[in-house]
Amino acid sequence: MSLPVSDVNKQPDYRTTMELGAVLPKTAEVKDDHLYIGGVDMVELAKQEGTALYVFDEADLTDRMEQYVSNFHAMYPNSDVAYASKAFINKEIYRIAKAQGMYLDVSGGGELAYAQAVDFPMEHIVVHGNNKTPRELEEAISAGVGHIIVDSRIELGRISEIAGRLGKTQDILMRITPGVEADTHEFIRTGCEDSKFGFTVKDDFAFKCVKDVMAAPNVNLVGFHCHIGSQIFALHSFREAVKVMIEFVARVQKEYGLTVSQLDLGGGLGIAYTAEDEPSTIAEFAEMTTSAVKDFCAEYGIELPHLMVEPGRSIVANAGVTLYTVGILKTLPGIRNIVAIDGGMSDNIRTALYHADYEPVVANKAGQKRDRIVTLVGKHCESGDAVACDRPIQTPEIGDIVCVFCTGAYCYTMASTYNGQPRPAIVFVKDGVARTVTRRETYADLMVRDI
């Protein structure tokens, strides 16, 4: 693992923080050269709480949840929105999702345990995973979850056996791999034929498996699920997936006589990670998916199903930022300018995994123009440990507070304790008040399970 080849000809963009547009959290503003989010000074917050530090704009979070729920209900009343826990999880966001009337998409026993800890309605839980263990399945069925997304015939047998032993009939959806090549990074493309997820439509495999599911005892096939990938800008990919799914539903109804009541289209709406990105809005995503369902149901002559979507990244990514303190400055002549911060791949693995791009600013120089090109590297023993490669930023100095935008999704949930680095605290900010919702790990926490 190493840093990508530096673009030595790249020029600064000379933007100020507030010129970064869609990457900014809803309440971001600059006062006296300092970045404020939720009415809280990020520079002072970093000094009080320490860095690295995850910060979430609570108003941004709730606004995006409200947009999802209201748009889908307005355009397709028989619909629900499930928050995809894998993007970001702690008790507080589950409480907020519950208050907004959302469902939850959980993968694994740990995410279900979080839901139980905040008394989330179990009937509003959708359980995912391509290899749910027998223990996780038993926990889910015992808890009374609303739906389990079945990913294979082997899993079908396990659910059937466990539900029968517990004296229950479990509602399930089959995950179908529709063969749609979503326009996104190959690592987060999940709906193509070469995927570990679901029942492929290739060679009619998924259709033939429906018969097995219908015949299995102690389960009730209520619908179908698909998810074509993440960070998708091209909305036509969703329409293509809807066509495949509705055609599949119609064929099942015609040839097997089974009328299913549920269609879950997963998530995947992209967000702006850079100032140049132009993702679709939540309203545009809702219009595209709901109109596609209506159009193709009419074309194939089937009743409109209960519709569900499972957004994660497009709810939490832009609401979250990460604060760091600059510790070391290095210049590699003719190669790159290195700015070392007190975090890195332990709190944001995405850049190391697939060279994700982010917009950084110096929070205590937020009103100034970004006049340098730098690579923000972490503090870990890996050459590829970086958070932002060859990105514009205000001229940094040792002790400056750096803010990296759009880190609300897949940073905390994929964080590690590599090199014995305690994971950062999580602070929610709103109306000038900062509240810690997940405390910073301590050295004692790192060793608490050791014997």
Side-chain angles (χ1 to χ4, degrees):
M1 183 188 297
S2 61
L3 296 175
V5 175
S6 180
D7 182 358
V8 295
N9 296 315
K10 188 169 185 178
Q11 297 298 311
D13 62 6
Y14 297 102
R15 288 185 172 107
T16 64
T17 298
M18 296 309 296
E19 292 173 329
L20 296 180
V23 306
L24 300 174
K26 177 184 175 72
T27 66
E29 58 182 335
V30 175
K31 295 189 289 188
D32 297 327
D33 237 12
H34 282 203
L35 172 65
Y36 282 70
I37 298 174
V40 176
D41 185 339
M42 293 296 100
V43 179
E44 291 304 312
L45 182 62
K47 292 176 181 177
Q48 293 167 12
E49 297 291 333
T51 51
L53 182 69
Y54 297 118
V55 182
F56 281 82
D57 183 347
E58 189 172 346
D60 192 302
L61 278 177
T62 55
D63 178 67
R64 291 173 192 271
M65 288 182 178
E66 288 170 359
Q67 285 187 57
Y68 262 108
V69 173
S70 62
N71 276 285
F72 271 91
H73 283 177
M75 298 178 193
Y76 198 107
N78 188 21
S79 65
D80 283 293
V81 179
Y83 170 64
S85 305
K86 59 184 175 289
F88 170 72
I89 182 174
N90 71 356
K91 290 181 182 178
E92 189 61 16
I93 197 165
Y94 273 15
R95 294 185 186 107
I96 294 172
K98 178 182 175 182
Q100 294 297 321
M102 300 185 77
Y103 281 52
L104 277 185
D105 152 4
V106 305
S107 295
E111 291 184 359
L112 177 61
Y114 270 92
Q116 290 173 307
V118 300
D119 295 322
F120 206 95
M122 287 296 108
E123 66 272 18
H124 291 175
I125 299 286
V126 180
V127 180
H128 279 275
N130 69 300
N131 182 22
K132 310 173 194 71
T133 66
R135 174 180 173 177
E136 288 171 331
L137 288 171
E138 184 149 350
E139 289 169 348
I141 296 169
S142 297
V145 298
H147 300 96
I148 296 178
I149 310 298
V150 179
D151 204 86
S152 67
R153 286 191 293 188
I154 292 173
E155 184 173 89
L156 170 68
R158 290 173 181 165
I159 296 171
S160 177
E161 185 277 324
I162 293 168
R165 176 159 44 81
L166 295 175
K168 297 192 174 190
T169 299
Q170 178 63 53
D171 284 349
I172 60 174
L173 283 76
M174 286 179 65
R175 178 163 181 168
I176 306 300
T177 308
V180 174
E181 293 278 354
D183 183 18
T184 188
H185 194 285
E186 62 180 322
F187 287 7
I188 49 179
R189 187 184 298 146
T190 59
C192 53
E193 290 177 351
D194 185 9
S195 173
K196 72 175 186 177
F197 297 103
F199 296 80
T200 179
V201 295
K202 186 176 174 61
D203 298 329
D204 242 8
F205 179 77
F207 184 75
K208 294 172 184 175
C209 288
V210 171
K211 220 170 189 180
D212 297 331
V213 179
M214 292 173 61
N218 312 312
V219 297
N220 180 29
L221 177 60
V222 297
F224 298 102
H225 172 280
C226 73
H227 177 66
I228 59 174
S230 298
Q231 189 55 9
I232 298 169
F233 281 19
L235 290 184
H236 67 80
S237 298
F238 294 107
R239 186 173 179 87
E240 292 169 18
V242 171
K243 185 179 190 301
V244 172
M245 295 302 292
I246 296 297
E247 184 179 30
F248 188 87
V249 169
R251 187 180 172 201
V252 166
Q253 182 172 312
K254 179 180 179 181
E255 298 190 31
Y256 292 149
L258 175 67
T259 301
V260 297
S261 59
Q262 308 263 1
L263 179 62
D264 189 332
L265 297 177
L269 178 63
I271 65 103
Y273 278 106
T274 72
E276 289 76 28
D277 289 339
E278 296 180 355
S280 300
T281 65
I282 292 170
E284 289 168 340
F285 172 70
E287 197 283 327
M288 170 63 79
T289 52
T290 59
S291 63
V293 172
K294 293 173 186 176
D295 291 348
F296 292 119
C297 281
E299 180 178 334
Y300 288 97
I302 63 173
E303 292 184 9
L304 292 174
H306 174 262
L307 179 63
M308 184 172 287
V309 291
E310 299 167 345
R313 185 195 313 267
S314 53
I315 288 177
V316 296
N318 291 97
V321 304
T322 309
L323 302 179
Y324 304 98
T325 302
V326 175
I328 297 291
L329 302 172
K330 288 183 181 180
T331 298
L332 306 182
I335 303 176
R336 69 173 87 234
N337 297 309
I338 288 178
V339 178
I341 53 178
D342 56 350
M345 64 191 302
S346 59
D347 58 75
N348 186 346
I349 193 66
R350 294 184 69 252
T351 307
L353 277 180
Y354 36 81
H355 298 161
D357 283 325
Y358 290 96
E359 298 286 10
V361 299
V362 176
N364 49 291
K365 301 174 182 175
Q368 301 175 29
K369 296 182 181 298
R370 302 197 304 176
D371 57 355
R372 294 291 300 278
I373 294 292
V374 308
T375 292
L376 291 177
V377 302
K379 62 189 298 251
H380 299 293
C381 299
E382 296 287 340
S383 295
D385 174 28
V387 170
C389 298
D390 294 327
R391 300 302 299 172
I393 196 171
Q394 295 86 353
T395 299
E397 298 174 275
I398 293 173
D400 278 347
I401 303 300
V402 169
C403 176
V404 178
F405 294 108
C406 303
T407 59
Y410 302 105
C411 289
Y412 174 69
T413 53
M414 298 173 74
S416 73
T417 58
Y418 182 46
N419 290 151
Q421 177 75 2
R423 282 171 286 206
I426 303 170
V427 175
F428 279 21
V429 292
K430 182 181 180 182
D431 297 331
V433 177
R435 59 192 181 101
T436 301
V437 295
T438 300
R439 67 168 175 80
R440 184 179 304 278
E441 278 187 326
T442 66
Y443 294 148
D445 289 331
L446 299 180
M447 297 176 278
V448 72
R449 293 177 295 112
D450 288 355
I451 297 171

